[in-house]
Amino acid sequence: MIKKLSALLICVVMVSSCKLDLLDNPNAVTTSNTDINYLLNSIELNYRTHFNQMSDPGMRLTRMLNQGSAIYDNAVSPSNFDGAWETAYAGLMTDAKTLIPLAESSELFVHAGIARTLRASVLLNLVDGFGDVPYTQAIDATNFNPGVDQAQTSYETALAELDKAIANFAATSKSGATSDLIYGGNVDNWTRLANSLKLKAYLNRRLIDKSGATTAINALVAGNKLISTATQNFAFRFGSNLTNPDTRHPRYAGQYSPTGGGDYQANAYMGALYSSKGFPDPRIRYYFYRQTVRNPTDVNVLRCITNTKPAHYSDADVFCLPSSVGYWGRDHLSNEGIPPDGLLRTAWGVYPAGGLYDNDAGVPVSLGAGAGGAGIHPIMMRSFIDFMLAESALTLSTTGVAKDLLKSAVEKSMADVRALALGTIESGKISTFEAANNLVWADQVTRYVTKVLADYDAAATTDAKLNIIATEYWLALHGNGIESYNLYRRTGKPANLQPALDANPGAFPRSYYYPSTYIIRNANAKQKTSLTIPVFWDNNTAGLLR
């Protein structure tokens, strides 16, 4: 009996102890048991996803990819942005808010600087996409209905955050961020990225603050801490692993399968690369892979071959097919059904998606073909910096010669596209094809650059010269719709982009509708009355964009 009572007392004590332990769940992630390296990796992986989600609509609106809607209102439907909003707020910003105070209190300043840089970049992207967005009141467990900050204020907040990041990188840290997936903890590269993001923000603001933008950009140039070399390129690199986990580039994963399919490339973009200079752009075989090298003749797989070019298209506008050699995409705002062309339409190539190099083979894509998805997200490349500085030198008279910067930008773009491809398993195929066809890469690049510079010299007005800079930037931005959308709204260039198939698609979106989940869940949220509402730095006239 005594033994039974003793056992009962022990059980009572144990049960009582267990009840007390429920106050501290050993399986829960708290600030005291968080691995800061894993948290940093989570932020970087969320940033990768955020970039792809925000880049996609920009590529489609600027004719890099087909937009599968007939009118603009559907192209930027509120439901299209639910994932991007969730990734930004529930993912990256939440993790950054947790990491930064932990890192700074532990004197892990590199970790904090990386989190601040990526958070600032996300905030800039949200403002550039939507305008006024929540920030000051966001990520607060006591406030489920955060109000928005004014867009211009959020830009200032992001710029201040980048300055704090730069200060973090300059501080003495107890430990480096060796788990960093992007730069391996290289503080000079991260500092250059932070300054390069500031350049982007100031250039966007040049329309509303010419003097301030000029002073700020000149200071950045004088500081000599912008991205300038290939090793400083801000690009997220993918692998070729298929499962557990799938590390492939998302564009590759969506297209390289036994049945093909995936994205339709934009006819206008392929046409510009193929024929706008009078000869093909050297990058075209890297950007796109043709599954067939002959144009279709079967109306069942490409209906438009029997259609007449729309009356609102000019003679110069590409329609239906951009060439005679198998480049197979779709026209702007084409929402046709999907015929059996999954193994015929032009696919993503080796740059940036890690696909196949186009050596005129004309065979269908397949699982694992080409570089297996080992591509990149080209987020902020060294060529982008020179294109932005060329635009700034031309429009603001900032430090530098616009023509020289344009030349440097094109050459850097060519070199980086080539380097990525030669760093993959496609390298041997490239060498074999070039040797068999007497192609010398350096000669191709020289011919292209010579043509661009001759056109620039022949341009009679500043506006015409700006169009050349912007067009070359657009062609170098393949895979980055965030910056192409900013470029188009900021400059109205490239001029005369291919019109929509429908003669009346509605007004071009000057910003995106707010996501449906934000409108539904936040009592203080108000949807825009129109997608023609511009973001704060866009004071261009109505009707400039189409």
Side-chain angles (χ1 to χ4, degrees):
M1 183 66 177
I2 292 175
K3 290 182 180 180
K4 290 181 179 180
L5 287 172
S6 298
L8 181 60
L9 287 172
I10 291 171
C11 288
V12 169
V13 171
M14 290 179 65
V15 169
S16 298
S17 299
C18 290
K19 288 181 178 178
L20 290 173
D21 288 344
L22 288 176
L23 297 175
D24 185 10
N25 183 355
N27 296 318
V29 177
T30 66
T31 55
S32 62
N33 66 11
T34 295
D35 186 314
I36 203 163
N37 290 305
Y38 287 147
L39 194 55
L40 178 66
N41 291 160
S42 175
I43 290 170
E44 292 180 325
L45 292 172
N46 272 315
Y47 187 88
R48 169 204 63 183
T49 303
H50 158 83
F51 172 83
N52 192 49
Q53 290 169 327
M54 293 297 291
S55 182
D56 186 84
M59 283 193 286
R60 299 185 191 281
L61 290 174
T62 57
R63 285 73 158 176
M64 283 184 174
L65 282 174
N66 165 249
Q67 174 60 65
S69 302
I71 59 174
Y72 281 122
D73 244 10
N74 291 338
V76 292
S77 168
S79 62
N80 293 351
F81 297 96
D82 290 345
W85 196 265
E86 181 178 347
T87 300
Y89 285 101
L92 189 146
M93 286 191 182
T94 298
D95 286 346
K97 187 174 183 178
T98 302
L99 182 146
I100 291 167
L102 284 175
E104 291 182 338
S105 65
S106 303
E107 297 182 35
L108 299 175
F109 296 114
V110 181
H111 293 73
I114 293 171
R116 287 189 184 279
T117 301
L118 297 182
R119 180 166 70 176
S121 178
V122 167
L123 181 56
L124 290 173
N125 291 342
L126 290 173
V127 172
D128 291 340
F130 301 104
D132 299 344
V133 295
Y135 185 75
T136 304
Q137 298 179 24
I139 323 299
D140 182 350
T142 66
N143 184 358
F144 292 99
N145 301 290
V148 297
D149 294 55
Q150 293 297 305
Q152 189 156 353
T153 300
S154 291
Y155 245 55
E156 295 295 339
T157 299
L159 287 165
E161 182 85 329
L162 291 169
D163 284 335
K164 290 178 183 177
I166 292 168
N168 281 149
F169 296 135
T172 301
S173 189
K174 281 187 175 180
S175 175
T178 55
S179 67
D180 169 20
L181 300 172
I182 299 170
Y183 285 136
N186 186 307
V187 294
D188 182 64
N189 285 356
W190 278 108
T191 299
R192 289 176 182 275
L193 171 62
N195 280 314
S196 298
L197 292 172
K198 291 173 67 175
L199 170 65
K200 156 187 165 170
Y202 288 128
L203 187 63
N204 280 344
R205 296 202 317 187
R206 72 171 175 82
L207 296 176
I208 60 166
D209 182 15
K210 183 175 182 178
S211 175
T214 302
T215 300
I217 291 172
N218 277 337
L220 288 171
V221 174
N224 196 29
K225 282 290 184 179
L226 295 167
I227 291 171
S228 61
T229 68
T231 57
Q232 296 160 3
N233 282 333
F234 182 48
F236 190 94
R237 295 190 173 275
F238 292 87
S240 57
N241 201 55
L242 177 61
T243 58
N244 297 320
D246 184 347
T247 63
R248 303 171 301 164
H249 194 291
R251 303 292 171 178
Y252 180 95
Q255 194 145 47
Y256 282 71
S257 71
T259 56
D263 288 319
Y264 279 102
Q265 302 296 330
N267 283 334
Y269 199 61
M270 292 191 292
L273 285 154
Y274 185 74
S275 61
S276 65
K277 304 295 188 299
F279 51 85
D281 189 310
R283 294 166 293 194
I284 195 169
R285 291 183 180 275
Y286 299 80
Y287 283 7
F288 307 116
Y289 175 74
R290 292 168 297 158
Q291 298 188 83
T292 175
V293 294
R294 296 178 178 83
N295 282 4
T297 57
D298 184 356
V299 69
N300 292 312
V301 294
L302 190 62
R303 188 179 66 186
C304 64
I305 59 176
T306 59
N307 293 349
T308 303
K309 179 184 284 192
H312 62 285
Y313 274 42
S314 72
D315 291 340
D317 288 323
V318 168
F319 171 68
C320 189
L321 289 164
S323 75
S324 60
V325 292
Y327 287 103
W328 184 329
R330 284 196 166 178
D331 297 315
H332 187 47
L333 291 176
S334 169
N335 69 335
E336 293 181 35
I338 307 298
D341 66 353
L343 296 174
L344 294 168
R345 69 185 76 157
T346 297
W348 286 86
V350 67
Y351 182 94
L356 284 155
Y357 170 75
D358 190 338
N359 64 345
D360 291 341
V363 297
V365 300
S366 59
L367 194 64
I376 63 168
H377 278 331
I379 305 169
M380 188 59 69
M381 308 294 281
R382 58 180 177 151
S383 62
F384 301 178
I385 305 304
D386 285 355
F387 280 119
M388 288 191 284
L389 290 176
E391 177 188 332
S392 177
L394 181 69
T395 60
L396 298 175
S397 298
T398 51
T399 304
V401 178
K403 179 182 175 181
D404 294 345
L405 289 161
L406 171 62
K407 178 177 183 291
S408 174
V410 174
E411 290 173 341
K412 287 177 179 178
S413 173
M414 296 284 180
D416 287 345
V417 169
R418 173 86 165 176
L420 174 70
L422 293 182
T424 72
I425 198 172
E426 292 292 272
S427 177
K429 183 188 298 182
I430 295 167
S431 299
T432 299
F433 180 79
E434 289 179 341
N437 291 275
N438 297 314
L439 296 175
V440 179
W441 173 259
D443 293 345
Q444 290 181 294
V445 173
T446 297
R447 178 173 67 161
Y448 187 93
V449 172
T450 300
K451 171 62 174 171
V452 169
L453 297 182
D455 289 346
Y456 186 85
D457 286 338
T461 65
T462 297
D463 189 67
K465 290 182 184 296
L466 179 59
N467 187 51
I468 291 171
I469 292 172
T471 299
E472 292 307 312
Y473 191 11
W474 176 64
L475 294 173
L477 279 168
H478 185 51
N480 188 322
I482 292 175
E483 300 311 328
S484 67
Y485 186 45
N486 286 340
L487 171 71
Y488 190 44
R489 289 177 297 166
R490 187 174 65 243
T491 66
K493 317 294 184 191
N496 302 315
L497 286 179
Q498 184 191 42
L501 274 180
D502 191 311
N504 299 295
F508 183 88
R510 298 283 282 271
S511 64
Y512 301 139
Y513 284 123
Y514 288 115
S516 56
T517 53
Y518 166 63
I519 296 299
I520 292 170
R521 295 173 182 174
N522 188 325
N524 291 324
K526 294 181 180 180
Q527 186 57 276
K528 297 175 185 177
T529 56
S530 167
L531 48 72
T532 60
I533 298 173
V535 295
F536 82 98
W537 50 258
D538 174 9
N539 65 358
N540 283 308
T541 58
L544 175 68
L545 312 176
R546 66 176 188 176

